[in-house]
Amino acid sequence: MYHMNQQDVKAILINLQNKQYIESDITHTFSSNNNAVFSVKYSKSENTYEVIQIETNSLEKFSDVESAVESISTKMIK
């Protein structure tokens, strides 16, 4: 299904928070078999990572990168 480890995920999240994107809203979508499963974006206004389960449209917010990585890693295993 997925071929990423936690370091890969963490690098993506840190990239989303990176200052070079400060004027942009960037969302990273994780897919399985060409179907979008969930997405993550960094909210500059709230300083949180927002993980959205696409099928259920449920939203989880995380204030630190480690918590977001943990949640994403769990979702990738399912």
Side-chain angles (χ1 to χ4, degrees):
M1 185 167 160
Y2 297 100
H3 303 289
M4 298 182 125
N5 62 32
Q6 287 191 336
Q7 285 304 111
D8 295 332
V9 173
K10 187 173 183 178
I12 289 168
L13 297 185
I14 290 170
N15 226 4
L16 290 177
Q17 187 182 4
N18 200 323
K19 296 281 188 262
Q20 72 187 33
Y21 303 126
I22 206 72
E23 298 303 320
S24 304
D25 266 337
I26 297 180
T27 301
H28 187 93
T29 302
F30 293 82
S31 301
S32 174
N33 299 323
N34 293 325
N35 294 318
V37 179
F38 62 94
S39 63
V40 62
K41 74 175 190 174
Y42 184 75
S43 170
K44 291 177 284 298
S45 59
E46 297 182 32
N47 293 322
T48 58
Y49 291 97
E50 298 179 354
V51 179
I52 301 165
Q53 194 82 33
I54 293 171
E55 192 174 287
T56 60
N57 206 30
S58 62
L59 170 68
E60 294 176 282
K61 294 184 180 186
F62 302 95
S63 57
D64 64 288
V65 71
E66 296 301 331
S67 297
V69 167
E70 219 27 69
S71 173
I72 291 168
S73 296
T74 301
K75 287 174 179 45
M76 290 188 335
I77 294 169
K78 291 180 180 176

Coordinates of all heavy atoms in Angstrom, one line a residue:
M1 N 0.8 -1.2 0.0 CA 0.0 0.0 0.0 C 0.9 1.3 0.0 O 1.0 1.9 -1.0 CB -0.9 -0.1 1.2 CG -1.9 1.1 1.3 SD -3.2 0.7 2.5 CE -3.8 2.3 2.8
Y2 N 1.5 1.6 1.1 CA 2.4 2.7 1.2 C 3.8 2.3 1.3 O 4.1 1.3 1.9 CB 2.0 3.6 2.4 CG 0.6 4.2 2.3 CD1 -0.4 3.6 3.0 CD2 0.3 5.3 1.6 CE1 -1.7 4.1 3.0 CE2 -0.9 5.8 1.5 CZ -1.9 5.2 2.2 OH -3.2 5.8 2.2
H3 N 4.7 3.1 0.8 CA 6.1 2.8 1.0 C 6.9 3.9 1.6 O 7.9 4.4 1.1 CB 6.7 2.4 -0.4 CG 6.0 1.3 -1.1 ND1 6.1 0.0 -0.7 CD2 5.2 1.3 -2.2 CE1 5.4 -0.8 -1.5 NE2 4.8 0.0 -2.4
M4 N 6.3 4.4 2.7 CA 7.0 5.5 3.4 C 7.2 5.1 4.9 O 6.4 4.5 5.5 CB 6.1 6.7 3.4 CG 5.7 7.3 2.1 SD 4.8 8.8 2.3 CE 5.7 9.9 1.4
N5 N 8.3 5.6 5.4 CA 8.5 5.4 6.8 C 8.2 6.7 7.5 O 7.8 7.7 6.9 CB 9.9 4.9 7.1 CG 11.0 5.9 6.7 OD1 10.8 7.1 6.7 ND2 12.1 5.3 6.3
Q6 N 8.3 6.7 8.9 CA 8.0 7.9 9.6 C 8.9 9.1 9.3 O 8.4 10.2 9.3 CB 8.0 7.6 11.1 CG 6.8 6.8 11.6 CD 6.7 6.7 13.1 OE1 7.7 6.8 13.8 NE2 5.5 6.4 13.6
Q7 N 10.1 8.8 8.9 CA 11.0 9.9 8.6 C 10.5 10.6 7.3 O 10.6 11.8 7.1 CB 12.4 9.4 8.4 CG 13.1 9.2 9.8 CD 13.1 10.4 10.7 OE1 12.4 10.4 11.7 NE2 13.8 11.4 10.3
D8 N 10.1 9.8 6.3 CA 9.5 10.3 5.1 C 8.3 11.2 5.4 O 8.2 12.3 4.8 CB 9.1 9.2 4.1 CG 10.2 8.4 3.7 OD1 11.4 8.9 3.6 OD2 10.0 7.2 3.3
V9 N 7.4 10.8 6.2 CA 6.2 11.5 6.6 C 6.6 12.8 7.3 O 6.1 13.9 6.9 CB 5.3 10.7 7.4 CG1 4.1 11.5 7.9 CG2 4.8 9.5 6.7
K10 N 7.5 12.7 8.2 CA 8.0 13.9 8.9 C 8.6 14.9 8.0 O 8.3 16.1 8.1 CB 9.0 13.5 10.0 CG 9.4 14.6 10.9 CD 10.2 14.1 12.1 CE 10.6 15.2 13.0 NZ 11.4 14.7 14.2
A11 N 9.4 14.5 7.0 CA 10.0 15.4 6.1 C 8.9 16.1 5.3 O 9.0 17.4 5.0 CB 10.9 14.7 5.1
I12 N 7.8 15.4 4.9 CA 6.7 16.1 4.2 C 6.0 17.1 5.0 O 5.8 18.2 4.6 CB 5.7 15.0 3.7 CG1 6.3 14.1 2.6 CG2 4.4 15.6 3.3 CD1 5.5 12.9 2.3
L13 N 5.8 16.8 6.3 CA 5.1 17.7 7.2 C 6.0 19.0 7.5 O 5.4 20.1 7.5 CB 4.8 17.0 8.5 CG 3.8 15.9 8.4 CD1 3.4 15.4 9.8 CD2 2.5 16.2 7.6
I14 N 7.2 18.8 7.7 CA 8.1 19.9 7.9 C 8.1 20.8 6.7 O 8.1 22.0 6.7 CB 9.5 19.4 8.3 CG1 9.4 18.9 9.7 CG2 10.5 20.6 8.3 CD1 10.7 18.1 10.2
N15 N 8.1 20.2 5.5 CA 8.1 20.9 4.2 C 6.8 21.8 4.2 O 6.9 22.9 3.7 CB 8.1 19.9 3.1 CG 9.1 20.3 2.0 OD1 9.8 21.3 2.2 ND2 9.1 19.6 1.0
L16 N 5.7 21.2 4.6 CA 4.4 22.0 4.6 C 4.5 23.2 5.4 O 3.9 24.2 5.1 CB 3.3 21.1 5.0 CG 2.8 19.9 4.1 CD1 1.7 19.1 4.7 CD2 2.4 20.5 2.7
Q17 N 5.2 23.1 6.5 CA 5.3 24.2 7.5 C 6.4 25.2 7.1 O 6.5 26.3 7.6 CB 5.7 23.6 8.9 CG 5.6 24.7 10.0 CD 6.0 24.1 11.3 OE1 6.3 22.9 11.4 NE2 5.9 24.9 12.3
N18 N 7.2 24.8 6.1 CA 8.4 25.6 5.7 C 8.0 27.0 5.3 O 7.0 27.3 4.7 CB 9.1 24.9 4.5 CG 10.5 25.3 4.3 OD1 10.8 26.5 4.5 ND2 11.4 24.4 4.0
K19 N 8.9 28.0 5.7 CA 8.7 29.4 5.4 C 8.5 29.7 4.0 O 7.9 30.7 3.6 CB 9.8 30.2 6.0 CG 9.9 30.1 7.5 CD 8.9 31.0 8.2 CE 9.1 31.0 9.7 NZ 8.2 30.2 10.5
Q20 N 9.1 29.0 3.1 CA 9.1 29.3 1.6 C 7.6 29.2 1.1 O 7.3 29.8 0.1 CB 10.0 28.4 0.8 CG 9.5 27.0 0.7 CD 10.5 26.1 0.0 OE1 11.7 26.3 0.1 NE2 10.1 25.2 -0.8
Y21 N 6.8 28.5 1.9 CA 5.4 28.4 1.4 C 4.4 29.3 2.2 O 3.2 29.1 2.2 CB 4.9 27.0 1.6 CG 5.7 26.0 0.9 CD1 6.3 24.9 1.5 CD2 6.0 26.1 -0.5 CE1 7.0 23.9 0.8 CE2 6.7 25.1 -1.2 CZ 7.2 24.1 -0.5 OH 8.0 23.2 -1.2
I22 N 5.0 30.3 2.9 CA 4.2 31.1 3.9 C 3.0 31.7 3.3 O 2.0 31.9 4.0 CB 5.1 32.1 4.7 CG1 4.5 32.4 6.0 CG2 5.4 33.3 3.8 CD1 4.7 31.3 7.0
E23 N 3.0 32.1 2.0 CA 1.8 32.7 1.4 C 0.9 31.7 0.7 O -0.1 32.1 0.1 CB 2.3 33.8 0.4 CG 3.1 34.9 1.0 CD 2.4 35.6 2.1 OE1 1.2 35.9 2.0 OE2 3.0 36.0 3.1
S24 N 1.2 30.5 0.8 CA 0.4 29.5 0.1 C -0.2 28.5 1.0 O 0.3 28.2 2.1 CB 1.3 28.7 -0.9 OG 2.0 29.5 -1.7
D25 N -1.3 27.9 0.6 CA -1.9 26.7 1.3 C -1.6 25.5 0.5 O -2.1 25.4 -0.6 CB -3.4 26.9 1.4 CG -3.8 27.5 2.7 OD1 -3.1 27.5 3.7 OD2 -4.9 28.1 2.8
I26 N -0.8 24.6 1.0 CA -0.4 23.4 0.3 C -0.9 22.2 1.1 O -0.8 22.1 2.3 CB 1.1 23.3 0.2 CG1 1.6 24.5 -0.6 CG2 1.6 22.0 -0.4 CD1 3.1 24.6 -0.8
T27 N -1.5 21.3 0.3 CA -2.1 20.1 0.9 C -1.4 18.9 0.3 O -1.2 18.9 -0.9 CB -3.6 20.0 0.6 OG1 -4.3 21.1 1.1 CG2 -4.2 18.7 1.2
H28 N -1.0 18.0 1.1 CA -0.4 16.7 0.6 C -1.4 15.6 0.8 O -2.0 15.4 1.8 CB 0.9 16.4 1.4 CG 1.6 15.2 0.8 ND1 2.6 15.4 -0.1 CD2 1.5 13.9 1.0 CE1 3.1 14.2 -0.5 NE2 2.4 13.3 0.2
T29 N -1.7 14.9 -0.3 CA -2.7 13.8 -0.3 C -2.0 12.5 -0.4 O -1.1 12.3 -1.3 CB -3.7 14.0 -1.5 OG1 -4.3 15.3 -1.4 CG2 -4.8 12.9 -1.5
F30 N -2.4 11.6 0.4 CA -1.9 10.2 0.4 C -2.9 9.3 -0.2 O -4.1 9.4 0.1 CB -1.7 9.7 1.9 CG -0.6 10.5 2.6 CD1 -0.8 11.7 3.2 CD2 0.7 9.9 2.7 CE1 0.2 12.4 3.8 CE2 1.7 10.6 3.3 CZ 1.5 11.8 3.9
S31 N -2.4 8.5 -1.2 CA -3.3 7.7 -2.0 C -2.9 6.2 -1.8 O -1.8 5.9 -1.5 CB -3.2 8.0 -3.4 OG -3.6 9.4 -3.6
S32 N -3.9 5.4 -2.1 CA -3.7 3.9 -2.2 C -4.4 3.4 -3.4 O -5.6 3.7 -3.6 CB -4.2 3.2 -0.9 OG -4.1 1.8 -1.1
N33 N -3.7 2.7 -4.3 CA -4.3 2.2 -5.5 C -5.0 3.3 -6.3 O -6.1 3.2 -6.8 CB -5.3 1.1 -5.2 CG -4.6 -0.1 -4.6 OD1 -3.4 -0.4 -4.9 ND2 -5.2 -0.7 -3.6
N34 N -4.3 4.5 -6.4 CA -4.9 5.7 -7.1 C -6.1 6.3 -6.5 O -6.8 7.0 -7.2 CB -5.1 5.3 -8.6 CG -3.8 5.1 -9.3 OD1 -2.8 5.7 -9.0 ND2 -3.8 4.2 -10.3
N35 N -6.5 5.9 -5.3 CA -7.6 6.5 -4.6 C -7.1 7.3 -3.4 O -6.3 6.8 -2.6 CB -8.5 5.4 -4.0 CG -9.2 4.6 -5.1 OD1 -9.6 5.2 -6.1 ND2 -9.3 3.3 -4.9
A36 N -7.5 8.6 -3.4 CA -7.1 9.4 -2.3 C -7.7 8.9 -1.0 O -8.9 8.6 -0.9 CB -7.6 10.8 -2.5
V37 N -6.8 8.7 0.1 CA -7.2 8.2 1.3 C -7.4 9.3 2.4 O -8.3 9.4 3.1 CB -6.3 7.1 1.8 CG1 -6.7 6.5 3.1 CG2 -6.2 6.0 0.7
F38 N -6.3 10.1 2.5 CA -6.3 11.2 3.5 C -5.4 12.2 3.0 O -4.5 12.0 2.2 CB -6.1 10.7 4.9 CG -4.7 10.2 5.1 CD1 -3.6 10.9 5.5 CD2 -4.5 8.8 4.9 CE1 -2.4 10.4 5.7 CE2 -3.2 8.3 5.1 CZ -2.2 9.1 5.5
S39 N -5.6 13.4 3.5 CA -4.7 14.5 3.2 C -4.3 15.3 4.4 O -4.9 15.1 5.5 CB -5.4 15.5 2.2 OG -6.5 16.1 2.8
V40 N -3.2 16.0 4.3 CA -2.7 16.8 5.4 C -2.2 18.2 4.9 O -1.7 18.3 3.8 CB -1.5 16.1 6.1 CG1 -0.3 15.9 5.2 CG2 -1.1 16.8 7.4
K41 N -2.6 19.2 5.7 CA -2.1 20.5 5.4 C -1.7 21.2 6.7 O -2.1 20.8 7.7 CB -3.1 21.3 4.6 CG -4.2 21.9 5.4 CD -5.1 22.8 4.5 CE -6.1 23.5 5.4 NZ -6.9 24.5 4.6
Y42 N -0.9 22.2 6.5 CA -0.4 23.0 7.7 C -1.2 24.3 7.7 O -1.2 25.0 6.7 CB 1.1 23.3 7.6 CG 1.6 24.0 8.9 CD1 1.7 23.3 10.1 CD2 1.8 25.3 8.9 CE1 2.1 23.9 11.2 CE2 2.3 26.0 10.0 CZ 2.4 25.3 11.2 OH 2.8 25.9 12.3
S43 N -1.9 24.6 8.8 CA -2.6 25.8 9.0 C -1.7 26.8 9.6 O -1.4 26.7 10.8 CB -3.9 25.6 9.8 OG -4.5 26.8 10.1
K44 N -1.3 27.9 8.9 CA -0.5 28.9 9.4 C -1.2 29.7 10.5 O -0.6 30.1 11.5 CB 0.1 29.8 8.3 CG 1.0 29.1 7.4 CD 1.5 29.9 6.2 CE 0.4 30.1 5.1 NZ 0.0 28.9 4.4
S45 N -2.4 30.0 10.3 CA -3.2 30.8 11.2 C -3.3 30.1 12.6 O -3.3 30.8 13.6 CB -4.6 31.2 10.7 OG -5.3 30.0 10.4
E46 N -3.5 28.8 12.6 CA -3.6 28.0 13.8 C -2.4 27.3 14.3 O -2.3 26.7 15.4 CB -4.8 27.0 13.7 CG -6.1 27.6 13.4 CD -7.2 26.6 13.3 OE1 -7.1 25.6 14.0 OE2 -8.2 26.8 12.6
N47 N -1.3 27.3 13.5 CA -0.1 26.6 13.7 C -0.4 25.1 14.0 O 0.1 24.6 15.0 CB 0.7 27.2 14.9 CG 1.2 28.6 14.5 OD1 1.6 28.8 13.4 ND2 1.2 29.5 15.5
T48 N -1.2 24.5 13.2 CA -1.6 23.1 13.4 C -1.5 22.4 12.1 O -1.6 23.0 11.0 CB -3.0 22.9 13.9 OG1 -3.9 23.5 13.0 CG2 -3.2 23.5 15.3
Y49 N -1.3 21.1 12.2 CA -1.4 20.2 11.1 C -2.8 19.6 11.0 O -3.3 19.2 12.1 CB -0.4 19.0 11.2 CG 1.0 19.4 11.0 CD1 1.8 19.7 12.1 CD2 1.6 19.6 9.8 CE1 3.1 20.1 12.0 CE2 2.9 20.0 9.6 CZ 3.7 20.2 10.7 OH 5.0 20.6 10.6
E50 N -3.5 19.7 9.9 CA -4.8 19.2 9.7 C -4.8 18.0 8.9 O -4.5 18.0 7.7 CB -5.7 20.3 9.1 CG -5.8 21.6 10.0 CD -6.6 22.7 9.4 OE1 -7.1 22.5 8.2 OE2 -6.8 23.7 10.1
V51 N -5.2 16.9 9.5 CA -5.3 15.6 8.8 C -6.7 15.3 8.5 O -7.5 15.2 9.4 CB -4.6 14.4 9.6 CG1 -4.7 13.1 8.9 CG2 -3.2 14.8 9.9
I52 N -7.1 15.1 7.2 CA -8.4 14.9 6.8 C -8.6 13.5 6.2 O -7.9 13.2 5.2 CB -8.9 16.0 5.8 CG1 -8.7 17.4 6.4 CG2 -10.3 15.7 5.3 CD1 -8.8 18.5 5.4
Q53 N -9.5 12.7 6.8 CA -9.8 11.4 6.3 C -10.8 11.7 5.1 O -11.9 12.2 5.4 CB -10.5 10.6 7.4 CG -10.6 9.1 7.1 CD -9.3 8.4 7.3 OE1 -8.5 8.7 8.2 NE2 -9.0 7.4 6.5
I54 N -10.4 11.4 3.9 CA -11.2 11.8 2.8 C -12.6 11.1 2.7 O -13.6 11.7 2.4 CB -10.4 11.6 1.5 CG1 -9.3 12.7 1.5 CG2 -11.3 11.8 0.2 CD1 -8.2 12.5 0.4
E55 N -12.6 9.8 2.9 CA -13.9 9.1 2.8 C -14.9 9.6 3.8 O -16.1 9.7 3.4 CB -13.6 7.6 3.1 CG -14.7 6.7 2.7 CD -14.3 5.2 2.9 OE1 -13.6 4.7 2.0 OE2 -14.8 4.6 3.8
T56 N -14.5 9.9 5.0 CA -15.5 10.3 6.0 C -15.5 11.9 6.2 O -16.3 12.4 7.0 CB -15.2 9.7 7.4 OG1 -13.8 10.1 7.8 CG2 -15.3 8.2 7.3
N57 N -14.5 12.5 5.6 CA -14.3 14.0 5.7 C -14.1 14.4 7.2 O -14.5 15.5 7.6 CB -15.5 14.7 5.1 CG -15.1 16.1 4.7 OD1 -14.0 16.4 4.3 ND2 -16.1 17.1 4.8
S58 N -13.5 13.5 8.0 CA -13.2 13.8 9.4 C -11.9 14.5 9.5 O -11.0 14.2 8.7 CB -13.3 12.5 10.3 OG -12.3 11.6 9.8
L59 N -11.8 15.5 10.4 CA -10.6 16.3 10.5 C -10.0 16.1 11.9 O -10.7 16.1 12.9 CB -11.1 17.8 10.3 CG -10.0 18.8 10.7 CD1 -8.8 18.8 9.7 CD2 -10.7 20.2 10.7
E60 N -8.7 15.9 11.9 CA -8.0 15.9 13.2 C -6.9 17.0 13.1 O -6.3 17.2 12.0 CB -7.2 14.6 13.4 CG -8.1 13.4 13.5 CD -7.3 12.1 13.6 OE1 -6.8 11.6 12.5 OE2 -7.1 11.6 14.7
K61 N -6.7 17.7 14.2 CA -5.7 18.8 14.2 C -4.6 18.4 15.2 O -4.9 17.9 16.3 CB -6.3 20.1 14.6 CG -7.3 20.6 13.6 CD -7.8 22.0 14.0 CE -8.8 22.5 12.9 NZ -9.2 23.8 13.2
F62 N -3.4 18.7 14.9 CA -2.2 18.4 15.7 C -1.3 19.6 15.8 O -1.0 20.2 14.8 CB -1.4 17.2 15.1 CG -2.3 16.0 15.0 CD1 -2.9 15.7 13.8 CD2 -2.4 15.1 16.1 CE1 -3.6 14.5 13.6 CE2 -3.2 14.0 15.9 CZ -3.8 13.7 14.7
S63 N -0.9 20.0 17.0 CA -0.1 21.2 17.2 C 1.4 20.9 17.0 O 2.2 21.8 16.9 CB -0.4 21.8 18.5 OG -0.1 20.8 19.6
D64 N 1.8 19.6 17.0 CA 3.2 19.3 16.8 C 3.4 18.2 15.8 O 2.5 17.4 15.5 CB 3.8 18.8 18.2 CG 3.2 17.5 18.7 OD1 2.0 17.6 19.1 OD2 3.9 16.5 18.6
V65 N 4.5 18.2 15.2 CA 4.8 17.4 14.0 C 4.8 15.9 14.4 O 4.3 15.0 13.7 CB 6.1 17.8 13.3 CG1 7.3 17.5 14.1 CG2 6.2 17.1 11.9
E66 N 5.3 15.6 15.6 CA 5.4 14.2 16.1 C 4.0 13.5 16.2 O 3.8 12.4 15.8 CB 6.1 14.1 17.4 CG 7.6 14.5 17.3 CD 8.4 13.7 16.3 OE1 8.1 12.5 16.1 OE2 9.4 14.3 15.8
S67 N 3.0 14.3 16.7 CA 1.7 13.7 16.9 C 1.0 13.5 15.5 O 0.4 12.5 15.3 CB 0.8 14.7 17.7 OG 1.3 14.8 19.0
A68 N 1.3 14.5 14.6 CA 0.8 14.3 13.2 C 1.4 13.1 12.5 O 0.7 12.3 11.8 CB 1.0 15.6 12.4
V69 N 2.7 12.9 12.7 CA 3.4 11.8 12.1 C 2.8 10.5 12.6 O 2.5 9.5 11.8 CB 4.9 11.9 12.3 CG1 5.6 10.5 12.0 CG2 5.5 13.0 11.5
E70 N 2.6 10.4 13.9 CA 2.0 9.2 14.5 C 0.6 8.9 13.9 O 0.3 7.8 13.6 CB 1.9 9.5 16.0 CG 2.2 8.4 17.0 CD 3.2 7.4 16.6 OE1 4.4 7.6 16.4 OE2 2.8 6.2 16.4
S71 N -0.2 9.9 13.8 CA -1.6 9.7 13.3 C -1.5 9.2 11.8 O -2.2 8.3 11.4 CB -2.4 11.0 13.3 OG -3.6 10.9 12.7
I72 N -0.7 9.9 11.0 CA -0.5 9.5 9.6 C 0.0 8.1 9.5 O -0.5 7.3 8.7 CB 0.3 10.6 8.9 CG1 -0.5 11.9 8.8 CG2 0.7 10.1 7.5 CD1 0.4 13.1 8.3
S73 N 1.0 7.8 10.3 CA 1.6 6.4 10.2 C 0.6 5.4 10.5 O 0.5 4.3 9.9 CB 2.8 6.3 11.2 OG 3.8 7.2 10.8
T74 N -0.3 5.6 11.5 CA -1.4 4.7 11.8 C -2.3 4.5 10.7 O -2.8 3.4 10.4 CB -2.1 5.2 13.1 OG1 -1.2 5.3 14.2 CG2 -3.2 4.3 13.5
K75 N -2.7 5.6 10.0 CA -3.6 5.6 8.9 C -3.0 4.8 7.7 O -3.7 4.2 7.0 CB -4.0 7.0 8.5 CG -5.0 7.7 9.4 CD -5.2 9.1 9.0 CE -6.2 9.8 10.0 NZ -6.0 9.6 11.4
M76 N -1.7 4.9 7.5 CA -1.1 4.3 6.4 C -1.0 2.8 6.6 O -1.0 2.0 5.6 CB 0.4 4.8 6.2 CG 0.4 6.2 5.7 SD 2.0 6.9 5.2 CE 3.2 6.0 6.1
I77 N -1.1 2.3 7.8 CA -1.0 0.9 8.1 C -2.4 0.2 7.8 O -2.5 -0.9 7.3 CB -0.6 0.6 9.6 CG1 0.8 1.0 9.8 CG2 -0.8 -0.9 9.9 CD1 1.3 1.1 11.2
K78 N -3.5 1.0 8.0 CA -4.8 0.5 7.8 C -5.1 0.1 6.3 O -4.6 0.6 5.4 CB -5.9 1.5 8.2 CG -5.9 1.7 9.7 CD -6.9 2.7 10.1 CE -6.9 2.9 11.6 NZ -7.8 3.9 12.1

